[in-house]
Amino acid sequence: MVCDFCHERESVIYLEQITVNGQKRRINLCMECAIERGISPDPKNIENSIGQLFRELSAKAKKLEQENSRMCPVCGTSLREIRKTAKTGCPECYAIFKNEIQQYLDGKGIHGEYTGTMPARLTTFHSVLTDRIALQNKMNEAIKNEDYEKAALYRDFLRALEKAPVAGGEDEE
């Protein structure tokens, strides 16, 4: 088993907690992480250090749960689902969860960028979301530089983009 804290070294200490409602929680620790967290074989100190350990692990679990519940605003796919299935819901998921996907690939030993071919129909692909984000960033930069005429132009482009039909060429009525 790998250490639950560093995710690198082999664990040598195994702690199991049984909660009031009978659920079991197991923690695997390597020697370095155990020493780092103050776990020692001394019976006088072990109770406090183990209590702190479970509090720390609980805080990490809550943070991970919050991170996993993030969703793509375009397709509604959660980060948890992407990690579980290793599939994204739409092309925008790659931009929205870029760092998390890169960490996942690094963990699997996959490095570098995709160098394969792209279907001809997608070479000029721009989605409304990516166009909107780019325009929003340009507008914010213009406001920051106090170039209000340019900012107004970007604002107008954003309004026009929001009114444009999303479907590929066909009017939906």
Side-chain angles (χ1 to χ4, degrees), residues 84-99:
K84 182 179 174 184
T85 64
K87 294 180 183 177
T88 60
C90 71
E92 300 303 330
C93 290
Y94 290 104
I96 293 163
F97 300 119
K98 180 181 180 181
N99 295 333

Side-chain angles (χ1 to χ4, degrees), residues 114-126:
Y114 178 70
T115 57
T117 59
M118 184 173 229
R121 63 186 167 88
L122 294 180
T123 55
T124 58
F125 173 77
H126 291 285

Side-chain angles (χ1 to χ4, degrees), residues 62-103:
K62 285 179 185 176
K63 182 180 176 189
L64 185 61
E65 180 63 31
Q66 287 174 343
E67 184 181 303
N68 279 338
S69 65
R70 286 184 34 223
M71 297 180 83
C72 173
V74 177
C75 68
T77 302
S78 68
L79 182 56
R80 174 185 293 122
E81 191 173 334
I82 292 171
R83 285 181 172 151
K84 182 179 174 184
T85 64
K87 294 180 183 177
T88 60
C90 71
E92 300 303 330
C93 290
Y94 290 104
I96 293 163
F97 300 119
K98 180 181 180 181
N99 295 333
E100 291 83 359
I101 291 172
Q102 189 62 49
Q103 287 174 351

Side-chain angles (χ1 to χ4, degrees), residues 147-172:
D147 190 353
Y148 299 115
E149 291 177 13
K150 196 180 270 188
L153 182 67
Y154 290 131
R155 179 202 60 209
D156 295 340
F157 282 146
L158 280 167
R159 287 181 181 162
L161 189 62
E162 288 172 1
K163 292 179 182 177
V166 177
E170 293 184 31
D171 292 337
E172 292 183 16

